[in-house]
Amino acid sequence: AYRSTKLDSKSTQDTEVQQRQEDDVQVGTKEYYSGFISRKIDEEPEERITGDAVLVPTLKFVGGFAAVLIVLFFGFLASNGLI
């Protein structure tokens, strides 16, 4: 019977990394730009971005921006003796 070793799993990982690197296309090459034309519009990406991955950073950004605006607003009011 064959037993897997750490060396085997390392070699498998190296092969997977090498395969991913071969699949990557350099930006600006002819192959990169041909993908814009040959790819179907309804084709799904391999890694789909979920709403949670976008929503949380967006809310953090909006919250921080709102806090800065509130501080500036109250600073304006205080500098003019309105509070």
Side-chain angles (χ1 to χ4, degrees), residues 47-57:
E47 295 177 16
R48 186 152 175 85
I49 298 175
T50 62
D52 293 340
V54 176
L55 184 63
V56 173

Side-chain angles (χ1 to χ4, degrees), residues 33-52:
Y33 290 112
S34 69
F36 287 104
I37 298 169
S38 63
R39 186 174 168 198
K40 294 181 181 178
I41 292 177
D42 60 350
E43 187 176 324
E44 288 289 324
E46 290 180 21
E47 295 177 16
R48 186 152 175 85
I49 298 175
T50 62
D52 293 340

Side-chain angles (χ1 to χ4, degrees), residues 5-23:
T5 63
K6 287 186 178 183
L7 183 60
D8 290 336
S9 67
K10 173 97 172 113
S11 132
T12 304
Q13 289 173 349
D14 289 344
T15 304
E16 290 173 3
V17 168
Q18 203 172 32
Q19 181 65 32
R20 268 189 253 128
Q21 288 175 346
E22 290 173 3
D23 291 342

Side-chain angles (χ1 to χ4, degrees), residues 52-73:
D52 293 340
V54 176
L55 184 63
V56 173
T58 302
L59 290 176
K60 284 182 181 179
F61 173 74
V62 170
F65 188 72
V68 168
L69 286 179
I70 290 169
V71 167
L72 289 173
F73 177 72

